Amino acid sequence: VILLHTSRDPIVPEARNNDKYTALVQGSGNGEFMLRRVVDRFGHCTLNPEEIFGSFADLVTWAETGVRPAQ
């Protein structure tokens, strides 16, 4: 899974929520299957199409090849 989030989201703070999810995934022994990407931007759901579709394309490639994408 690729978690994609803005760094300054006033509604869903990135660190608080993703840290909990990261801890759960790592605690289950599956941390290598999760990648966090944080875009330095203010706002809730203010990701642009390139960030969203680029991350999805990276996820598909990761699933097909087994090669983990860059941050």
Side-chain angles (χ1 to χ4, degrees), residues 49-70:
E50 292 81 16
E51 292 159 344
I52 295 167
F53 293 116
S55 289
F56 182 74
D58 286 347
L59 180 62
V60 170
T61 301
W62 186 8
E64 291 176 345
T65 67
V67 177
R68 184 183 175 96

Side-chain angles (χ1 to χ4, degrees), residues 16-29:
R16 185 185 75 206
N17 291 287
N18 286 341
D19 285 349
K20 290 178 185 178
Y21 187 72
T22 299
L24 285 171
V25 172
Q26 289 177 344
S28 72

Side-chain angles (χ1 to χ4, degrees), residues 2-59:
I2 296 178
L3 301 175
L4 186 58
H5 210 286
T6 53
S7 60
R8 294 171 279 140
D9 185 330
I11 297 171
V12 182
E14 187 274 328
R16 185 185 75 206
N17 291 287
N18 286 341
D19 285 349
K20 290 178 185 178
Y21 187 72
T22 299
L24 285 171
V25 172
Q26 289 177 344
S28 72
N30 293 306
E32 72 274 13
F33 299 114
M34 187 185 79
L35 176 68
R36 288 172 69 171
R37 286 186 175 165
V38 180
V39 177
D40 185 21
R41 186 175 300 130
F42 179 80
H44 181 68
C45 295
T46 58
L47 301 163
N48 65 44
E50 292 81 16
E51 292 159 344
I52 295 167
F53 293 116
S55 289
F56 182 74
D58 286 347
L59 180 62

